[in-house]
Amino acid sequence: MASRLSFKGGVHPLKRIHHGKYLAENRAIEKCSVPGEVIIPLSQHIGAPSKPVVSPGDKVDMGQMIAEPGGFVSVPCFSSVSGTVKEIVPRPHISGKPEMAIVIENDFEDRLCKDIKSKGPLENLSPQDIVGIIKNAGIVGMGGAAFPTHVKLSPPPDKKIDTLIINGAECEPYLTADHRVMLEYPGDVVRGTKAVMKILGVSRAYIAIEDNKRNAIAAIDEAAKEEDIDVVSLKVKYPQGAEKQLIYAITNREVPSGKLPMDVGAVVVNAGTARQIALAIEKGMPLYERVITVTGSVNTPSNLLVRLGTPISHVIAQVGGLSGNIDKVIAGGPMMGITQFDLDAPVIKGTSGILALDIGMTRPGEDSPCIRCGKCVGVCPMGLLPYLISANAEKNNFEAAEKANALDCIECGCCSYICPANRHLVQGIRLAKSEILKERKRAGN
Ligand code: SF4
Ligand code: SF4
């Protein structure tokens, strides 16, 4: 086993805010109760929204496809309960903007869709068969990115892939869902890894885990001992789980500006996604439930198996409710998660956690002018000048922000986290990125 690989830049959040993983890391995965109504948004992934194939009044089974892909970069959606379609209307969404959703009234019978059955042994499936199973199961990156997995696993023929990395870093403070999945279902993660190896035609793969999850490293190591899979231990540093940083830590290859992992022969798949691939092949199970961490200022921090479409408010009630003087509730982790303003928004495919932070856990203080300390530059894992991009964004000078490589920003939040002047750097950079992309679209590039 290689030990404590790492990358340039980054931060150690545990030095300033408590890393918080201790709250839920020893809590075994439990099933969350199922609400009387689930809200299944048509946009749960990057790409075109799914298109409904059911109408109000239709009876549906659990695991039944209720929306088909809206394009190549898209996936189907499934009912997470048995019941009746109530309406198809805009509903709150974790993005902060209401999105069209299929609302289903639960009959609590949990009738499983009859189409759900094993696809047979991996040896009998071709790479194309496996990609088709992944696509039909609606699988997306479950670490939070929610990019359709069948697209990621279909690189163009001129991109030769020689390295598969299964990402078990889970570097975001507080989150422990991947940790528990690797610890409790190591065989699933390893068999999912083998399926992806077969698709990509690679003869060796890495499962990369941060060194603060030693029991998961041991469990995966044991499950993978007969396989051509290396389990590697990564230094505990944020954002160790970002794709480009992970590839560098393990292979020493740098993904150039504007390029993708496949341009350096690598594909990165989240550990939870790898498990979901095994479930899709072996049980025929589509993605209609997932493991999430519910933690922070809640009464019983937990790792829960949650049916997609369950409102955040229901999940929080399941863990005994909020505790303390709550400042905010976040979908995801504290560094990259999205603050929630409506707790009726449902858990979706890319939701890795729900984090409640009380006033004592969030950062106090107003932002103030930049003091040119350079700390943001030192921690940026992409080698950018965050203060400069952000200053240009503030002046609406998006051309200058583009020249400063704003589009390379992975929005990890390290710069904002470290800034002694409390500058909201990521917000400015995000704005610059969106304006640059809009301008490129206008210009037809
Ligand atoms: S500029 Fe982007 S990539 Fe660099 S530290 Fe800030 S958020 Fe992370
Ligand atoms: S860390 Fe903050 S204060 Fe220091 S240079 Fe960057 S933006 Fe300015």
Side-chain angles (χ1 to χ4, degrees):
M1 190 191 302
S3 183
R4 301 202 186 110
L5 302 172
S6 195
F7 64 97
K8 301 171 198 162
V11 295
H12 300 271
L14 59 164
K15 281 189 180 162
R16 202 169 76 194
I17 52 172
H18 199 292
H19 72 115
K21 287 189 188 282
Y22 80 97
L23 289 169
E25 67 191 354
N26 294 319
R27 305 272 310 178
I29 298 166
E30 292 172 71
K31 281 188 180 175
C32 181
S33 67
V34 188
E37 174 185 286
V38 291
I39 303 153
I40 312 288
L42 300 174
S43 288
Q44 298 189 47
H45 53 271
I46 289 178
S50 314
K51 291 197 262 181
V53 295
V54 291
S55 306
D58 287 355
K59 293 264 182 232
V60 293
D61 293 335
M62 186 165 73
Q64 178 181 329
M65 186 177 77
I66 52 172
E68 62 187 10
F72 176 64
V73 184
S74 185
V75 285
C77 295
F78 303 86
S79 179
S80 57
V81 296
S82 60
T84 307
V85 176
K86 198 167 147 189
E87 53 187 4
I88 304 175
V89 290
R91 283 290 188 105
H93 189 274
I94 61 164
S95 66
K97 190 168 94 25
E99 294 282 356
M100 290 299 284
I102 301 174
V103 182
I104 300 167
E105 202 172 306
N106 188 2
D107 63 15
F108 292 98
E109 289 179 14
D110 274 1
R111 273 185 325 276
L112 197 61
C113 175
K114 60 177 175 14
D115 298 339
I116 295 181
K117 48 183 176 245
S118 168
K119 309 299 178 194
L122 185 61
E123 307 79 81
N124 296 352
L125 299 170
S126 70
Q128 293 74 21
D129 291 336
I130 307 168
V131 172
I133 291 167
I134 292 169
K135 181 179 179 186
N136 293 337
I139 297 176
V140 301
M142 293 170 73
F147 186 74
T149 303
H150 69 279
V151 180
K152 182 180 249 192
L153 298 182
S154 307
D158 61 316
K159 305 286 180 197
K160 179 74 193 118
I161 305 299
D162 61 13
T163 302
L164 168 65
I165 301 172
I166 300 299
N167 185 357
E170 200 171 49
C171 59
E172 270 268 7
Y174 291 94
L175 302 186
T176 56
D178 281 350
H179 181 171
R180 293 308 308 187
V181 164
M182 292 187 290
L183 183 62
E184 296 183 42
Y185 303 105
D188 291 353
V189 175
V190 167
R191 293 195 305 283
T193 304
K194 284 175 65 184
V196 180
M197 289 169 74
K198 186 162 182 178
I199 294 171
L200 298 173
V202 299
S203 53
R204 265 206 108 67
Y206 301 92
I207 300 182
I209 307 172
E210 270 194 345
D211 199 39
N212 55 2
K213 305 171 190 61
R214 298 227 170 143
N215 52 1
I217 292 174
I220 294 278
D221 218 16
E222 175 64 23
K225 67 180 180 206
E226 305 292 330
E227 312 294 344
D228 291 328
I229 294 172
D230 288 329
V231 182
V232 295
S233 163
L234 303 163
K235 190 170 171 182
V236 180
K237 191 165 69 159
Y238 179 86
Q240 185 68 79
E243 285 197 341
K244 292 182 180 180
Q245 284 58 41
L246 201 51
I247 292 167
Y248 180 80
I250 292 171
T251 67
N252 232 13
R253 295 178 201 167
E254 286 197 49
V255 182
S257 172
K259 299 285 182 187
L260 296 168
M262 69 169 84
D263 293 305
V264 297
V267 165
V268 180
V269 173
N270 165 264
T273 311
R275 174 175 188 241
Q276 201 65 40
I277 290 171
L279 295 179
I281 295 170
E282 294 165 11
K283 299 188 174 171
M285 197 177 148
L287 179 49
Y288 64 79
E289 61 183 6
R290 64 159 297 155
V291 177
I292 72 168
T293 306
V294 191
T295 188
S297 297
V298 295
N299 280 310
T300 314
S302 305
N303 298 291
L304 298 179
L305 179 64
V306 178
R307 302 277 180 92
L308 301 184
T310 302
I312 292 173
S313 53
H314 182 97
V315 174
I316 290 174
Q318 176 79 25
V319 298
L322 299 169
S323 64
N325 195 357
I326 300 298
D327 183 35
K328 56 180 162 184
V329 173
I330 297 170
M335 301 295 280
M336 290 189 78
I338 305 169
T339 301
Q340 297 300 297
F341 298 100
D342 189 338
L343 299 186
D344 286 339
V347 169
I348 58 174
K349 293 177 180 183
T351 310
S352 49
I354 302 295
L355 170 64
L357 293 175
D358 78 14
I359 285 171
M361 296 156 119
T362 52
R363 193 166 171 178
E366 296 291 306
D367 60 333
S368 54
C370 172
I371 55 170
R372 303 276 164 155
C373 66
K375 286 189 175 174
C376 55
V377 180
V379 298
C380 178
M382 298 306 294
L384 304 176
L385 304 177
Y387 72 90
L388 183 66
I389 303 172
S390 161
N392 282 318
E394 275 174 21
K395 289 186 251 166
N396 289 337
N397 189 347
F398 301 116
E399 215 178 302
E402 186 173 9
K403 280 195 187 126
N405 296 322
L407 289 182
D408 282 346
C409 170
I410 57 170
E411 299 178 23
C412 65
C414 290
C415 51
S416 296
Y417 172 80
I418 207 76
C419 177
N422 283 343
R423 309 280 304 152
H424 300 297
L425 298 165
V426 190
Q427 275 157 267
I429 297 168
R430 216 176 262 149
L431 170 72
K433 285 174 70 179
S434 129
E435 291 300 321
I436 294 164
L437 290 174
K438 268 193 225 159
E439 182 51 37
R440 284 193 180 180
K441 207 169 168 188
R442 264 196 297 271
N445 296 325

